[in-house]
Structure formats: structure tokens, C-alpha cells
Amino acid sequence: VTPDDITQPPNLRTVGVQRVSTEGIDFVMKKGSGTCDSLAAGRPISILHLQGRYLPGETAEQWRGEGFCERMVLTKEMLDILPSYTITSMIASKRLELEKGEQVQELQDGVSGKRLKVENKNHLLEVMQKTRLEYENGDISFEEIDAAVRPFRFHPTRLECMAGGPDSVLWNRWEWQVDEDGMWKDASALLSH
């Protein structure tokens, strides 16, 4: 995510992709974080996805994309495709933030990305286990889930794929771009470097 202050580096986050479709790439983040708020504001972003292994006899793929995110409304249908551990960890994190109240700012000071410091790992594990059990038993309201989980859809305007390995004579590299009408142009083969 592009920072507010151009002297600062971009905000890099790891997200779990939940679905790839013709509409875009869907993922979720914990509601209320700075990154979540930046994505909701429609700032330009880039993505990187790596798969495979860069070992003799094998190949790896590197997918890069540029575009923007659309904030989506969480639905009960989305909960069916989200891993329960993703949902419960976001809810547990929100619960711990609420528990700390006024201390949240103090616990964020000096931590990159304004994440909370873990004061007591045992308490964190208790809250996480309790949240997982409540979720599995259907004892967490949709309102509490919605207060913790924010779905997004990444709309790429450019995608690039490089594929190859140590045994490759050259890496194959392709680029796709969206035209003015929002339609994907045919892929273009690019030099590998």
C-alpha cells in the first residue's frame, strides 16, 4: 500500500487469497488496521504471488500485479469459504484490542505497522482457544464477526507472470493489461530481464 508520507516505504502485508475469479482476487483483513483503512480508500497497490520451487529439475512462477481494491460487504456466504482459523484469529485480535482499551496506543508504540505487542502469551492463547470454541459452536454473532473481518476484492489493471527454474535456458515472461474499456488485452511475451 502506498504510504501517506512519500518518505516512508510502502506497507507490505501478507494476505491469504480466498478466491480468484473473473471479478478479481478476494481476501480479508482485520478491520480497523491502518492497512485495511488504506485499502478501503482505494489507494493503488501491487501484489506478488510465488509458487513452485526454484530447484534443479523444477520450476517456479512469480505473479505480479498492479491495481486497486474494492471494499466488500461481509456476507454469511463468504464465511463458508473463509478458513475458520482466519476468522477466529481476527475476532480474537479485536477482542484483545477492546480488552486493552486506552492501553492500545501504548502497546502499539515502537512496533512496526502499529500492531499490538503481546504482553502475556498465555492470555493470548486462552482468548484464541475460547474464540475458536465459540465460533465452532456457533456462539459468536454475525455482528461481532463483521466488526473484525473486512473483505476486499483486488482488481488488477496489469498482471505479469515469470516462470522458469535453474535448468531453464530462459524464463518465460508474459504481461496482461486492461484496456480503457476494462477488458483484458491479449498477453504479450516479454524479455525475461
Side-chain angles (χ1 to χ4, degrees), residues 12 18 48 62 75 79 81 103 106 111 137 146 160-161:
L12 176 64
Q18 307 306 326
L48 173 64
Q62 181 185 92
T75 64
L79 296 179
I81 65 167
Q103 288 182 297
E106 182 182 314
V111 178
N137 292 325
D146 187 52
E160 184 178 307
C161 178

Side-chain angles (χ1 to χ4, degrees), residues 84-114:
S84 61
Y85 57 82
T86 298
I87 297 168
T88 56
S89 66
M90 290 181 183
I91 294 168
S93 293
K94 272 294 188 190
R95 287 179 173 183
L96 287 165
E97 284 178 9
L98 292 170
E99 186 180 284
K100 294 301 175 187
E102 300 285 323
Q103 288 182 297
V104 166
Q105 182 63 44
E106 182 182 314
L107 291 171
Q108 289 176 334
D109 287 343
V111 178
S112 66
K114 295 294 182 190

Side-chain angles (χ1 to χ4, degrees), residues 23-42:
E23 286 85 35
I25 300 170
D26 299 347
F27 64 96
V28 294
M29 296 194 81
K30 184 182 71 140
K31 245 185 203 176
S33 68
T35 303
C36 183
D37 295 343
S38 292
L39 291 175

